[in-house]
Amino acid sequence: MSERFTGSFTQQEPIPEDGIAAALAVLRSGRLHRYNLAAGEIGETALLEQEFAQATGARYCLAVASGGYALGCALRALGAGPGVTVLTNAFTLAPVPGAIAAVGATPDFVEVTEDLVIDLDHLAARIAETRAPILMLSHMRGHICDMAALMRLCDAEGVTVIEDCAHTMGADWDGTPTGRWGRIGAFSTQTYKHMNSGEGGLLITDDAELAARMVLLSGSYMLYERHGAAPAPEVFERLKLDVPNVSGRMDHLRAAILRPQLARLAEQARRWNARYRVLEEGLKDTPGLTLIRRPAREGFVASSFQFRLAGWANDAISEVVARAAARGVELKWFGADHPAGFTSRYAHWRYAAPPRLPRTDAVLAGLLDMRLPLTFSLEDCAQIARILRAEVGAVWQARATA
Ligand SMILES: *Cc1c(COP(=O)(O)O)cnc(C)c1O
């Protein structure tokens, strides 16, 4: 009899008890709005900003309502709007081109490599063709490109980089945290990311004027002195009458449950990566299955797992997905014809009039993806690998002998 996995791919760990206690204290105080403070109180939101700035080494940090809001706020602060082209990855999730479209700018998509990172040659070609002033770089599914090479290219061409770090909180390239290579780093604390406040986002930058613009944009009601990691008031004085209020603040309740999670982030990253390595080990040398290369300089945090069935026919991949599902293993396929769950792919963003990107099409056609919640034990991961190995093998064998 074949084994069946019974865990849930969408079940996260509970909020740590100290986070629950902090949240209850906020509820009991009645002061949930970030600017609602007792005399002398700093507030959970400002404290979170201070701590996240410190954790990433950034000078400034702003907590906001969601990761998508953070991306939009960064774009607005940089002046992106109608008539401006913003380069981004063809392999990313819908909120990224959505943020570009929301400010009225035009997304222009860059191909993905077989390592699931942005194709730097195609990026150079798109910069030359479009003269786009901004790249919104998405570290999609936690895969980080050669950031030194990317920054060399963008700096030489005068392209400002916003990093979408929704899948790389706690990760680094060559020792420098993601979000610290570009001008602005944007993070999400939505339930399926590396810290969970239901919804939420964080922005970091070393640029005082951009930081002030983002604070004003987020809806600071001129109370910017109540921030935890914001520039000096003089910077705001110059800008405050020119920057519109596009409300998207974080509240104390979310900040209260995030602070204890931030303190545990490095430990959680180790736990994620231990699970990733078990899956990788269990799937290596599976005929027909290609693992994703992880460079030594990539300090990833693996909250999900990808592999490729490169060159496989669509119906064979569908069969693997169905057979894995029948044994409790939920795979998402980026090559599916219609958007399902989070597998949205660039061709489905019709509002952005995407061109055909043949290399991306070829990679996504064989790309499978799986969440890796920390509620899975190492043995769970070993079992998932056994099931996938067996089902990929069965379909591969049947096709080879047909
Ligand atoms: C989740 C996600 C976002 C946006 O985060 P939300 O908090 O859900 O708005 C941005 N980029 C990527 C790649 C994501 O997965």
Side-chain angles (χ1 to χ4, degrees):
M1 216 186 67
S2 56
E3 58 184 340
R4 193 173 188 289
F5 180 64
T6 56
S8 163
F9 282 81
T10 52
Q11 182 60 56
Q12 306 297 61
E13 291 188 300
I15 300 302
E17 285 302 325
D18 46 349
I20 294 173
L24 286 175
V26 169
L27 290 173
R28 293 200 172 100
S29 78
R31 295 186 297 277
L32 273 72
H33 192 280
R34 68 165 299 161
Y35 299 129
N36 190 192
L37 300 168
E41 189 181 22
I42 299 171
E44 293 283 350
T45 312
L47 288 169
L48 173 68
E49 290 167 341
Q50 282 173 5
E51 289 162 3
F52 197 71
Q54 194 172 26
T56 52
R59 201 167 295 166
Y60 308 113
C61 174
L62 171 67
V64 294
S66 75
Y69 182 88
L71 294 173
C73 188
L75 285 168
R76 280 198 179 87
L78 286 168
V84 175
T85 298
V86 177
L87 298 165
T88 193
N89 310 53
F91 176 49
T92 185
L93 284 196
V96 180
I100 299 169
V103 299
T106 306
D108 191 273
F109 298 104
V110 183
E111 299 256 31
V112 71
T113 71
E114 294 184 346
D115 297 334
L116 305 187
V117 296
I118 196 165
D119 181 327
L120 294 183
D121 294 330
H122 192 237
L123 175 61
R126 293 315 298 159
I127 292 172
E129 164 106 16
T130 63
R131 298 315 326 170
I134 300 170
L135 165 65
M136 185 171 278
L137 173 69
S138 186
H139 301 297
M140 176 63 172
R141 285 289 176 268
H143 297 274
I144 306 167
C145 74
D146 181 337
M147 286 304 295
L150 179 131
M151 291 311 301
R152 262 196 310 279
L153 169 63
C154 290
D155 288 345
E157 299 292 338
V159 174
T160 301
V161 178
I162 301 170
E163 291 180 72
D164 165 25
C165 305
H167 302 164
T168 58
M169 186 183 280
D172 66 86
W173 175 263
D174 213 6
T176 298
T178 62
R180 297 288 296 138
W181 289 88
R183 187 79 60 86
I184 300 174
F187 298 79
S188 169
T189 61
Q190 189 241 72
T191 290
Y192 299 105
K193 315 299 166 102
H194 296 178
M195 301 199 296
N196 174 11
S197 60
E199 303 283 356
L202 290 157
L203 283 157
I204 56 172
T205 185
D206 279 350
D207 185 308
E209 180 171 324
L210 285 175
R213 283 183 184 278
M214 293 193 292
V215 168
L216 292 166
L217 281 163
S218 76
S220 63
Y221 299 128
M222 303 301 168
L223 297 171
Y224 40 77
E225 292 188 46
R226 297 186 192 174
H227 276 255
E234 310 82 85
V235 186
F236 290 90
E237 286 303 317
R238 296 200 297 273
L239 299 166
K240 68 183 189 187
L241 304 182
D242 295 313
V243 178
N245 178 326
V246 186
S247 281
R249 295 167 303 270
M250 184 179 280
D251 55 87
H252 289 320
L253 191 53
R254 293 181 206 185
I257 63 176
L258 287 171
R259 291 179 58 218
Q261 295 181 60
L262 180 57
R264 289 171 177 79
L265 182 60
E267 171 56 20
Q268 299 293 73
R270 276 191 290 278
R271 295 176 62 215
W272 260 306
N273 290 353
R275 283 154 180 75
Y276 186 91
R277 293 301 186 193
V278 169
L279 271 162
E280 200 177 44
E281 186 60 31
L283 287 173
K284 88 171 179 227
D285 304 326
T286 302
L289 183 150
T290 309
L291 293 171
I292 311 300
R293 198 177 64 95
R294 309 296 318 230
R297 282 184 291 167
E298 184 194 28
F300 62 88
V301 178
S303 50
S304 65
F305 189 91
Q306 293 73 43
F307 62 88
R308 298 193 304 123
L309 299 178
W312 285 45
N314 278 359
D315 59 339
I317 297 178
S318 295
E319 198 182 331
V320 168
V321 172
R323 291 176 68 126
R327 294 181 65 182
V329 176
E330 238 177 78
L331 292 175
K332 299 285 178 177
W333 177 29
F334 279 94
D337 287 336
H338 297 284
F342 59 82
T343 60
S344 161
R345 80 182 141 98
Y346 81 91
H348 300 148
W349 304 324
R350 198 160 60 192
Y351 61 84
R356 287 295 306 269
L357 296 169
R359 271 171 291 165
T360 298
D361 287 343
V363 171
L364 297 189
L367 183 61
L368 291 140
D369 179 47
M370 191 165 57
R371 289 185 203 273
L372 214 48
L374 286 172
T375 49
F376 289 3
S377 66
L378 295 177
E379 174 44 34
D380 287 340
C381 295
Q383 184 186 39
I384 291 167
R386 286 196 298 274
I387 290 170
L388 286 177
R389 194 179 184 90
E391 297 306 333
V392 168
V395 177
W396 178 260
Q397 270 298 322
R399 301 272 158 162
T401 53

